[in-house]
Amino acid sequence: MPSLEAVRVQLKEACRLTGAEWAACLASPPNAGRFLASYRLTASCQKRLRAYLSALDASVWGKGEVSPSKTSWKVFEGFACGKGRLYAFPSFDGLVFLLVQAESLEAEALNLWRLLALGLTDELPRAELVPDLQADIPYNTPRALESVLNSIFGVVPCQAGWLAVRSGELLLVQAQKNCPRCLHSTLSFEGNEVFARVRQSLQPIVLTRGDPGWEQLPRRGMTEATSAWAAFPLVVGQRLIGVVALWREAEFTPSELEQLSHWTARLASTVEIVVTFDEMSNHLRRLAMLNDFALTVSSAQGLEQIVRRVFAMLQRTFRTELVTLFLLSSDARILREYRNQSGGRVAVQSLPVVAGPLAEMVLNGRLLRLDDLPTSGYPALHEDSRSALVVPLRYRGQVIGALDLENPDPGAFSVYDEHLMVVIASHLAGLVEYGRLREEAEARARNLGLIHEVVEQVIGLTDANEVAQIAADLMAQYFAYELAAIALVDKNGELSVAGIGGQAARIVQAGLREMNTARGQGISGRVFRTGVSALVSDVAQDKDYVPIAGWEAGSEMCVALKDGERVLGIIDVESSQKNAFTSTDLLTLESMAGILAGVVTAAEQYQRLQATVRQLRITQEELQARVEAQRLAESRLIQAAKLAAVGEMAAGIAHELNNPLTTVTGFVELILQDLPPEDARRQDLEMVLREAHRARSVVRRLLDFSRQSESVRDRVDLNETISETISLMRHLIHTSGVQLHTKMADSIPWVWADKNQLKQVFVNLFHNALQAMPQGGEMTVETSLCERGGRTWAAIAVSDTGIGISPQDQERIFEPFFTTKSSRGGTGLGLSVTYGIVTDHGGTIEVESQPGEGSRFTVYLPV
C-alpha cells in the first residue's frame, strides 16, 4: 500500500546511489512549503528552504521553468544548504516535486531522480496530495475554500478566479482570487447556457474571447486583456457540488487544462467535506437555538424581555443583526415594530395600520423566503439587505404579527431555515400573546391602583371645579400625560374648561380662550354630543379636530363624564406623539371618567364612591391572587406531568426486572440449602443473594414511586401514625446522634388516607432529615391545624439542623431521580414518592431551607 514511509525509503536509496546531500518531497506548489517526506534534511535547513521557496514566483512551478510540459528538471543557484546545488524534479502530473541538494549530478543520476519524480503521484496516498484543510474546516469555512482555490492557482497561474458552491438552482461564490467583487455574488443556472452546460455535462468548459457564450460570462474581475476563461465542475459521484472559474490573458494549453481537471477532480471531495461540515455546524447551531428557545425565551417574564432574547438567539444563529418583529394591536389599528440594533438594544415604535406593502406583508400572513431581495419587489427594511425570510405569527388561527429576518448576503436562508423559523414563530406567537395579555392585565391592575390614588385625593370635595383641577393635575402626574383637561357643563349647558394639567398646560393655557370659544366643536365636542369615547392615533386625519394655538397635538383620547344618560362633561388627554395611546389607556380613562362623574354629580355620593374604591381594591387583589394561583397551578401541573411520565416508565422497568430477580433469589436460596457451611462457593453465592435482594429493594422503590399498587383508605389518626413511624425509626435516630423533639397538637381531626402510604411519607422525610445531619443534630416533628384558601388543613412539619438545600436545588427537589446526596447513596426517588403520595391525597408539600442552617418540610392534608 502506498505510504510516505515508502517514499522516504526511495529518497534514501536514491541519495545513496547518486551521492546527493539530502532530498525532500513537496506537494504542489512547492512555495507553499508542504513537506511530505524527506531524507537527511535537518530542521534548520528545512526552515531556510521553506523561506527560500516562498520567495519564488509561483509561475516558476506552473507554466514557467519547472513543469512536466516544459522540462524535467531545473537547477537553482540561489540556495545552498550543504554541498552542491539545488535541483528540482516535477512529477508527471505536476502534483509533487522533488528537491535534491548535490554537488553535481551526472546524466545517469539525473535520469534516476527524474524517473523517481515521474512516478511519485502513484506512490503517495491521495489524501496527502490535497491541501491541508483540517485546521481550517472546524473553524473557518471561507478560509478553507480559499485554501482550495489557492492550491489550484499554484498548479496553473491565472489572472483571477472564484470558487462557487451549488445551492439548488444557484451558484454562491464562497472564495475568490484577485476578484474581491466576485465574493458572495449569486449565479443562476437558469438563463445561462454556459453554466447549464457545465451542470448537464459535468465536464470542463473553456471559452476564448469571441466564442459563443463569451458575452454570457460574469464580467466581474475580468479586464479588456482577458482572453481565456475556463469553468471546472466539482463533482462527487454524479452530483455537481460546485464550480471553479479561472481566467487570464493567455490561452490555456492542453497540458494545463489536463492538470487543472485532474487537480479539481481530486479537490471535489475536500470541498464537499468543507460544505458538509458547514451545513452540519449550521444544523447543530439551529438545534441549539431551539433548545435555547425552550430554556431561556419561554422563561422570560415580559414582552420586552421575550423580544430581546429572541433577537439575541436569531442574531447568533443566522449571523445577522437585521431582525424585526411586527405585532398587531388587539384592535388591529396599530402596528408595533421592534427593530434589533447594535449592542443588544431594541428600538420600538408604533405605526398606524394603513394600506401599503408593510401592512400587507403583516396582514396577509404569507411565508416568504427571498434569495434575491432587490429584484423581488419586497419592501426591504434595511438598506444593505440582499435576502430575506418573513414568517407570520399566528395565534389560534389569527395573524398577530410577523418576524422579518434579512441578510446582506444573497441566498442566505435555506428551506431548512424556513421550516425552523415556522416552528419558532408558532411557539413565539403563543409566548407573545401570553406576554401581551399578562402586560395588559398588569397594566390594568397598575392603572386601577393609580385611579384609586387620584380618587382618594378628590373624594369628599364639594366644589366641582376644584375636583376637576386636582384630578387633571393628578392624572398628568400619575399617568405621565402631556396634556390632561377636564371640561364640565356650565349652567348654560355648554362645555367649559374647569381643570388642566400636564407638561403642556402652560402652553395650552394661552389657547383656552379659543378652546372656550369653540364650544361644542372639535373631537371633544363630538364626544360631548354623542357620549361615545374617541381614540384618535393621528389627529391630522380626523376631520373634527380643532387645533389649539401654540400646541401641536399628535394623538388624542376623549371620554364623557356621564350620570346615567346625562353627560356632565368630558376628559380630554393629548400627546404630541402619534399613536401614543392604546385601547388599554382608553379603558383606563373611561374608568377614571366613571369615577369622576360620580364625584362631580354630588357630594352625597361620597359613600357610594368609597364602596367603588373598595371594590377596585378587591378586584386588584383578586387579579393578583388569580395571577399567582395560575402560576402555582402551572408549576404543579408541570411537576405532576413529570411524575406521571417517570411513574409510567418506573412501573414498566420494575415489572420487567421483578420476575428475573425473583428467579435469581429463588435458585440461589435453593443452592445454599444444599451447600455445606464450609463450601468455598457459599460466600460468593451469599453475596449474589444480598445483591439480588438489594436490587429487589430498588424495584420495590420504583413500584412505590409509580403508585401502581392498590391504595386502601380509611380514617387515620395522624398523631398515632407519626408515633408508630417514630417507634420504627427510634433506634436509627439514636444511632445517628440526632435528638428528636415532638410537638403534637391535641384534637387533630382524622384524615381520609392510606395509613401505610402516610407512613412511607414520614419515613422518607425522617430519612431525608437524618441524611442531612451526618454529624448529628436536632430533628423536630410538629402537627397543627391551619386555614388555607378557606379550608382547614392538617399540617405536619419535619425540621432538621442539617446542611440545608440551595435555592436552585429547591426548585428541583421533588423531581424524580434528582438528588443532592449522590455521594451518600441517594437515589432521587424518596421525595418524588413523597410528593406523589401527598398530591394523590389532595394535599401539598412545601420546603423552606437555608444552606448551612437546616430545612423544614411541611405536609398539608385536608381534614
Side-chain angles (χ1 to χ4, degrees), residues 715-733 740 742 744 750 754-763 766 781 783:
R715 290 184 298 173
V716 176
D717 187 330
L718 283 177
N719 288 346
E720 178 183 293
T721 304
I722 293 173
S723 298
E724 293 175 359
T725 306
I726 292 175
S727 298
L728 294 174
M729 299 188 63
R730 190 175 300 278
H731 178 72
L732 179 60
I733 294 172
L740 175 64
T742 59
M744 304 293 187
W750 287 359
D754 186 317
K755 188 172 183 178
N756 290 330
Q757 289 186 352
L758 288 187
K759 285 185 178 181
Q760 180 67 46
V761 168
F762 302 144
V763 167
F766 293 169
V781 182
T783 60

Side-chain angles (χ1 to χ4, degrees), residues 94-124:
L95 298 180
V96 180
F97 283 78
L98 284 184
L99 297 182
V100 180
Q101 182 83 35
E103 288 189 18
S104 179
L105 294 179
E106 301 296 334
E108 293 182 357
L110 287 173
N111 288 334
L112 175 62
W113 284 110
R114 179 187 175 189
L115 291 174
L116 178 60
L118 289 176
L120 270 179
T121 303
D122 296 329
E123 290 293 330
L124 288 168

